[in-house]
Amino acid sequence: MGNNTSTHKISAQDKAILDMKNQRDKLHQYQKRITVLTDREKAIAKEMLAKGDKPRALLALRRKKYQESLLAKTDAQLEQLEKLTSSVEFALVQKDVVFGLQQGTNVLQEIHKEMGGLDHVEKLMGETADAIAYQQEVSDMLGGRISNHDEDEVEDELEALEAELTGVPLPDVPKTELLARERARAREREREGQLEQRVAMLA
Amino acid sequence: MATTAPPPTTTTSFTFPREYHFPPFFSRQTQATTHHAQCSKWSALIRAYSRAHKVFKLSLIDALDGELFHNAALHKRLSLEDARDMLDFMCREGRAEWIGAEKNVAWIWWRSPDEWAAAIADWVDQTGQKNSVLTLYELTESEATISQEFHGMDPELLQKALSILVKRGKAQVFGQEDQQGVKFF
């Protein structure tokens, strides 16, 4: 980039494209000329008709017709030229794409070479797995020891913290049994016992 | 092509500024500050008029009878000498440039070649035509550029603008005389 013109070479393809485009421009100019001519012939025909000179008017119209046929032919040629030009331009783009792909492939291969092949990667992955397993073992051992020593203490601390957070001391558990309830319970137990006996006798 | 002579008056809807309808505008002002103001107004008018009519080269002799220097409604016209003065002033501003020493024809830089170069480069950029070959004829005459201000541009001016791009390494002009093409980078 920059001012270095040597990188911006005009290739033979560019020149060929320019030639084609110049040809196209010439056809355009030719068409312009023909259009002017047809317009003039038409004007002449009108003039002759106004003068009552029918044969001349016819002649002018015939010329006009002929020129219009030329115009149609140049249109077809123009189309051909434009098709060819765009094909060439597209082929150039394709060339660039292929070149780009080639570059990319080269780079990819280079990187693969640097990685040292599949075997190397496999070996490396094995080693990594070993290392991870070893690390796991070590941390298991360390982790276990810590929990054995301190687990109880940790739990105690947690309880203390919880009590602190709630702030309210727990009410004392009543030590005297309530007499009325005790009797009710005893009666219930008796009834259940009788029911069971009856079921047993029926069976 | 609109190169040297201003086209007929009927083609555009150019509105002249207020000063144009003020008779003293057409006579040389003696007071220095007034004269300077007059010159700047003329400079602006000439540029606006040239832009509206796509005049790239202004021929004084032809233009003196045109509507630019001749207000038919007021029966006032700028003298050749005064018109030359105005263009001299524009040259000092960098908004015009005499062609030849006779001072009869001048480039009117309503856009300087630098600005033209930028406009063309922008257009090429926007239409994605970098790295493709275009003919000079195509640039100024084809249907693709009809909406662009450089459509119908003077070929000489086009060459100037392109040579600026070439110097910057943004384009390369090649091909034989009269059939030149340009490739943008």
Side-chain angles (χ1 to χ4, degrees):
Chain A
M1 277 320 232
N3 287 334
N4 191 3
T5 45
S6 64
T7 53
H8 300 322
K9 276 263 171 63
I10 300 300
S11 61
Q13 287 120 338
D14 289 341
K15 279 182 187 150
I17 292 173
L18 177 67
D19 280 346
M20 279 187 284
K21 288 198 168 174
N22 269 323
Q23 207 54 50
R24 181 201 59 193
D25 289 352
K26 271 188 201 151
L27 277 178
H28 267 300
Q29 279 162 313
Y30 180 70
Q31 281 189 329
K32 259 190 210 166
R33 204 167 70 216
I34 296 275
T35 317
V36 170
L37 275 182
T38 51
D39 288 350
R40 207 178 62 198
E41 297 294 356
K42 204 176 166 188
I44 289 174
K46 256 187 198 164
E47 206 180 301
M48 289 301 159
L49 212 59
K51 274 187 195 165
D53 195 344
K54 233 182 174 180
R56 286 215 166 178
L58 264 177
L59 185 67
L61 283 180
R62 254 183 233 127
R63 276 204 299 250
K64 180 174 164 263
K65 193 82 205 157
Y66 172 65
Q67 276 148 3
E68 273 170 357
S69 74
L70 282 184
L71 209 57
K73 274 181 206 160
T74 43
D75 266 338
Q77 287 175 354
L78 256 181
E79 201 191 323
Q80 284 297 329
L81 257 179
E82 264 165 19
K83 261 190 205 161
L84 185 60
T85 315
S86 53
S87 313
V88 170
E89 277 177 341
F90 187 62
L92 281 177
V93 170
Q94 278 180 328
K95 196 187 87 179
D96 282 352
V97 170
V98 171
F99 179 73
L101 285 176
Q102 183 64 54
Q103 291 296 95
T105 316
N106 286 350
V107 169
L108 204 57
Q109 278 170 352
E110 198 70 22
I111 292 170
H112 284 160
K113 225 180 270 171
E114 274 171 38
M115 289 198 297
L118 270 182
D119 293 343
H120 185 244
V121 174
E122 214 171 4
K123 203 175 127 202
L124 190 70
M125 288 311 285
E127 279 168 13
T128 312
D130 286 351
I132 289 174
Y134 182 76
Q135 175 62 35
Q136 191 61 46
E137 240 170 82
V138 169
S139 52
D140 277 354
M141 277 160 78
L142 286 175
R145 215 166 278 168
I146 282 171
S147 74
N148 278 344
H149 272 291
D150 298 336
E151 199 63 30
D152 291 346
E153 273 178 42
V154 169
E155 259 164 39
D156 285 349
E157 204 176 344
L158 186 70
E159 260 168 50
L161 265 179
E162 268 173 351
E164 217 171 89
L165 272 180
T166 45
V168 189
L170 293 172
D172 293 334
V173 183
K175 281 167 189 156
T176 51
E177 278 284 340
L178 288 178
L179 283 173
R181 220 180 252 178
E182 184 65 14
R183 248 177 258 143
R185 231 176 257 167
R187 243 179 281 144
E188 225 168 90
R189 245 179 259 145
E190 242 168 74
R191 227 176 282 151
E192 269 174 24
Q194 282 170 356
L195 259 174
E196 266 170 41
Q197 272 177 359
R198 229 173 278 166
V199 170
M201 273 157 69
L202 276 171
Chain B
M1 249 196 297
T3 48
T4 47
T9 54
T10 47
T11 48
T12 55
S13 53
F14 179 71
T15 45
F16 283 94
R18 208 160 41 94
E19 306 87 50
Y20 182 74
H21 307 289
F22 182 56
F25 190 47
F26 291 86
S27 357
R28 187 191 171 84
Q29 297 302 303
T30 44
Q31 220 260 326
T33 47
T34 323
H35 180 63
H36 189 271
Q38 187 189 16
C39 286
S40 344
K41 294 275 188 205
W42 267 110
S43 164
L45 170 60
I46 291 171
R47 269 182 284 137
Y49 182 86
S50 302
R51 179 188 287 261
H53 290 85
K54 292 223 165 169
V55 176
F56 298 97
K57 271 184 200 166
L58 187 73
S59 160
L60 273 192
I61 309 295
D62 293 337
L64 278 178
D65 286 327
E67 56 170 352
L68 175 58
F69 291 129
H70 181 205
N71 189 335
L74 290 178
H75 300 292
K76 277 281 193 182
R77 71 168 76 221
L78 204 64
S79 73
L80 178 61
E81 211 177 302
D82 288 342
R84 241 175 224 157
D85 262 7
M86 296 309 160
L87 282 172
D88 273 337
F89 177 81
M90 285 174 76
C91 288
R92 284 198 295 277
E93 272 187 322
R95 283 291 160 192
E97 194 179 323
W98 290 110
I99 301 169
E102 308 88 38
K103 294 197 175 182
N104 285 328
V105 187
W107 291 110
I108 305 296
W109 299 143
W110 45 281
R111 272 181 184 212
S112 67
D114 244 16
E115 288 160 351
W116 279 119
I120 293 172
D122 274 356
W123 176 75
V124 168
D125 220 10
Q126 277 164 16
T127 49
Q129 298 193 87
K130 274 189 176 180
N131 268 322
S132 61
V133 179
L134 298 170
T135 61
L136 298 200
Y137 175 86
E138 189 178 0
L139 267 178
T140 56
E141 301 296 328
S142 80
E143 286 143 13
T145 60
I146 265 176
S147 60
Q148 302 297 316
E149 271 191 320
F150 54 83
H151 185 78
M153 188 154 103
D154 189 277
E156 225 179 306
L157 178 54
L158 179 65
Q159 288 279 5
K160 273 177 192 259
L162 288 181
S163 68
I164 288 170
L165 289 178
V166 170
K167 254 183 226 152
R168 289 185 195 151
K170 282 186 172 175
Q172 190 80 316
V173 177
F174 63 107
Q176 303 95 348
E177 192 72 25
D178 229 38
Q179 290 196 357
Q180 284 187 318
V182 59
K183 188 175 179 183
F184 293 94
F185 303 106

